[in-house]
């Protein structure tokens, strides 16, 4: 059973190595001429001002948090979805209850404007 | 033919042999990715009534090789104040998962590298990893454009991953298995048994979410040239830039292959159930018309073409429109459809229960 996963591991390793090779080739073959202007961060020709790791909109955090909630829900739904044919009424109703609770939260988010970008 | 091949490779240990096959496959995949860039430029060219690149080699077929060689010999600029290690790692983080996901993709019933039960979970894990490449690139570049581009991209990918995940849950309910081969075999019958018809809203959701996940037009605000230049890879040059470029096309091919597997019956022949079964036993025509890896490749190519087609056709969405589509349209649609499907499955009604 577990030996089925060995090819996956080997393949992942090979994928990593094969994407490492072009990068290594590029580093080895390309020239390197340091230059103050060339190495400075791109800002439309201006001298870069302020730190570029600046403050950004809090809504990106909000999206990330919403993502965690829904992604966990998906992870929770996966095993249920596979086994739904064998679960019967109890399995169906408990997941329906879970979805109802989640939908209430979703409607609340929507009403609060957490999903609006403007 | 097969016997001859097996006698030839018999003396080598099986693991070494598997690794050799994988290596060849990955090289072929790289070639496909490189030629996908050419395909895009040619298709876009013809759709805009121009020729596209046609100078290097016959019909421009040497163009990807020339591009790769040129980029290989270009300087890889490392901006000062950039995080040296993360800056170099980011292209790998976006390229490697797009290739690694192919480990579990079945080309036909017995043609795959790993036939694992958690195939779809592995795919979901690998496609989710791609977002790290974008975030790390944007943060490590120490550039405002790069940071803004990566934040936009991360929020967008994350939003559409939800819709994508829910679409996958619908497929799982219909097939009752996480194994990609089993999912295809569950669609057997005829073209109307493939999940694109019984799961039509989920099929559309998956396709749209796939386009948004790969940051392709019309959802390409990430690299919206008119506002943030090139987005997260603005500071990359030479091979670093090429890797991000190739990773985008590798992801397109992967999403196309997955759409073909999950909703369009993978390697199954569309003629099944339409022409009489005796046709499939004819010597050459039967093999051509019957199920096989060539159908899977053809369906994948069709979706790749769709990606290019959409880019030529649709104007770019605004960022708030993208977020609205993801959260307020696709997510409710998939939620409703999962409930509908659950009720049908519980009551054991067709088309999902048979």
């Amino acid at each position: 059973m577990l030996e089925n996963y060995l090819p996956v591991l080997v393949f992942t390793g090979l994928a990593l190595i094969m994407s490492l090779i072009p990068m290594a080739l590029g580093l080895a073959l390309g020239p390197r001429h340091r230059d103050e202007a060339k190495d400075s961060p791109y800002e439309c020709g201006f001298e870069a001002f302020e730190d570029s790791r600046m403050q950004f909109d809090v809504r990106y955090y909000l999206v990330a948090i919403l993502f965690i909630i829904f992604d966990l829900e998906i992870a929770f739904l996966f095993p249920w979805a596979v086994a739904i044919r064998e679960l019967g009424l109890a399995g169906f109703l408990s997941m329906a209850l879970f979805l109802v609770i989640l939908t209430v939260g979703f409607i609340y988010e929507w009403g609060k404007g957490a999903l609006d970008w403007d | 033919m097969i016997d001859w091949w097996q006698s030839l490779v018999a003396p080598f240990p099986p693991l070494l042999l598997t690794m050799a096959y994988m290596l060849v496959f990955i090289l072929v995949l790289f070639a496909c990715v490189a030629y996908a860039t050419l395909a895009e430029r040619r298709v876009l060219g013809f759709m805009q009534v121009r020729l596209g690149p046609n100078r290097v080699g016959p019909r421009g077929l040497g163009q990807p090789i020339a591009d790769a060689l040129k980029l290989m010999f270009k300087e890889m600029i490392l901006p000062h104040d950039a995080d040296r290690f993360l800056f170099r790692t980011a292209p790998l983080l976006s390229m490697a998962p797009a290739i690694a996901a192919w480990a579990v993709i079945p080309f036909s019933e017995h043609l795959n590298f790993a036939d694992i039960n958690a195939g779809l979970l592995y795919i979901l894990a690998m496609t989710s990893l791609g977002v790290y490449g974008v975030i790390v690139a944007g943060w490590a570049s120490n550039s405002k454009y790069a940071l803004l581009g990566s934040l936009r991209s991360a929020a967008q990918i994350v939003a559409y991953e939800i819709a994508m995940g829910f679409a996958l849950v619908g497929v799982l309910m219909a097939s009752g298995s996480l194994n990609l081969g089993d999912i295809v075999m569950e669609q057997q019958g005829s073209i109307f048994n493939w999940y694109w018809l019984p799961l039509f809203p989920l099929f559309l959701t998956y396709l749209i979410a796939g386009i948004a996940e790969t940051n392709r037009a019309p959802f390409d605000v990430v690299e919206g040239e008119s506002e943030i230049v090139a987005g997260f890879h603005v500071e990359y040059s030479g091979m670093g830039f090429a890797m991000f470029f190739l990773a985008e096309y590798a992801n397109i091919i992967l999403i196309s292959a997955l759409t073909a597997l999950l909703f369009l019956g993978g390697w199954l022949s569309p003629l099944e159930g339409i022409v009489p079964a005796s046709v499939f036993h004819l010597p050459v025509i039967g093999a051509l018309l019957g199920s096989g890896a060539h159908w899977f490749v053809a369906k994948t190519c069709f979706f790749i073409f769709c990606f290019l087609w959409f880019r030529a056709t649709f104007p770019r969405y605004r960022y708030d429109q993208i977020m609205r589509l993801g959260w307020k349209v696709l997510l409710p649609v998939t939620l409703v459809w999962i409930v509908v499907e659950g009720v049908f499955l519980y009551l054991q009604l067709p088309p999902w229960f048979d």
Side-chain angles (χ1 to χ4, degrees), chain B residues 139-163:
Chain B
W139 192 83
S141 296
N142 188 39
S143 159
K144 283 174 193 157
Y145 290 114
L147 185 72
L148 286 175
S150 72
L151 280 174
R152 281 184 178 190
S153 168
Q156 177 185 329
I157 293 178
V158 143
Y160 279 85
E161 198 154 298
I162 306 278

Side-chain angles (χ1 to χ4, degrees), chain A residues 1 4-8 10-12 14-16 18-23 25-27 29-36 38-44 48-54 56-57 60 63-64 66-71 73-74 77-85 88-90 92 99 102-103 106 109-110 115-118, chain B residues 19 22-23 25-27 30 72-81 84 88 91-92 95-96 99-100 102-103 113-118 121-122 124 139-140 142-145 147-148 151-152 155 158 161-162 165-166 169 172-176 178 229 234-235 239-240 243 319-320 323 327-328 331-332 335 342-343 345-346 352-353:
Chain A
M1 161 75 209
N4 284 346
Y5 287 82
L6 182 65
V8 177
V10 175
F11 196 96
T12 312
L14 278 178
L16 205 60
M18 289 302 284
S19 29
L20 205 73
I21 289 174
M23 280 294 279
L25 274 179
L27 275 178
L29 297 176
R32 186 82 187 95
H33 305 296
R34 287 185 180 283
D35 182 277
E36 180 60 30
K38 184 162 71 180
D39 289 356
S40 66
Y42 175 73
E43 216 159 283
C44 286
F49 47 94
E50 299 174 17
D51 187 8
S52 31
R53 278 148 200 163
M54 56 196 177
F56 51 82
D57 203 321
Y60 288 111
V63 168
L66 291 180
F67 165 72
I68 291 174
I69 298 168
F70 279 99
D71 212 37
E73 184 195 349
I74 290 168
L77 275 170
F78 258 46
W80 171 81
V82 173
I84 184 171
R85 275 154 228 254
L89 188 61
F92 177 73
L99 282 178
L102 210 107
T103 311
F106 183 62
E109 275 164 28
W110 193 320
L115 304 176
D116 294 320
W117 204 259
D118 270 344
Chain B
M19 280 177 77
M22 286 174 177
L23 215 56
F25 175 75
I26 293 177
L27 285 175
F30 267 126
M72 204 169 276
F73 287 99
K74 290 286 176 188
E75 178 174 358
M76 285 170 74
I77 298 169
L78 182 76
H80 59 69
D81 293 339
R84 178 183 287 268
R88 298 267 158 79
L92 295 182
M95 189 70 186
I99 298 171
W102 284 86
F113 286 118
D115 188 20
I116 59 173
N117 286 328
L121 270 183
Y122 175 77
L124 200 66
W139 192 83
N142 188 39
S143 159
K144 283 174 193 157
Y145 290 114
L147 185 72
L148 286 175
L151 280 174
R152 281 184 178 190
V158 143
E161 198 154 298
I162 306 278
F166 273 115
V169 169
L172 290 184
M173 287 165 77
S175 67
L178 277 163
V229 203
V234 66
E235 296 291 347
M239 215 55 209
M243 290 292 278
Y319 197 68
D320 62 312
M323 295 309 263
W327 288 105
K328 293 189 176 175
L331 186 58
L335 260 175
V343 170
L345 276 173
Y346 173 66
W352 298 296
F353 199 97

Side-chain angles (χ1 to χ4, degrees), chain B residues 208-229:
Chain B
I208 295 170
I211 297 168
E213 287 257 301
T214 47
N215 293 325
R216 289 285 301 181
F219 305 111
D220 61 343
V221 286
V222 171
E223 35 192 296
E225 302 92 333
S226 49
E227 346 166 356
I228 49 172
V229 203

Side-chain angles (χ1 to χ4, degrees), chain B residues 29 33 36 94 97-99 101-102 105 120 123-131 157 160-161 163-165 167-168 180 202-216 219 246-264 266 296-297 299-308 310:
Chain B
L29 196 63
V33 169
S94 47
I99 298 171
W102 284 86
I105 302 255
L120 205 61
I123 294 274
L124 200 66
M126 281 299 150
T127 47
S128 305
L129 274 180
V131 70
I157 293 178
Y160 279 85
E161 198 154 298
M164 203 176 214
L168 290 184
L180 285 164
L202 298 185
F203 167 59
L204 285 186
T205 303
Y206 190 85
L207 197 60
I208 295 170
I211 297 168
E213 287 257 301
T214 47
N215 293 325
R216 289 285 301 181
F219 305 111
L246 293 179
E248 181 179 326
Y249 289 87
N251 274 315
I252 290 174
I253 298 178
L254 179 66
I255 295 283
S256 304
L258 284 174
T259 318
L261 279 176
L262 298 174
F263 294 98
L264 231 58
F296 173 59
V297 173
K299 288 165 188 172
T300 306
C301 288
F302 169 72
F303 282 116
I304 295 172
F305 177 74
C306 282
F307 270 77
L308 310 182
F310 295 156

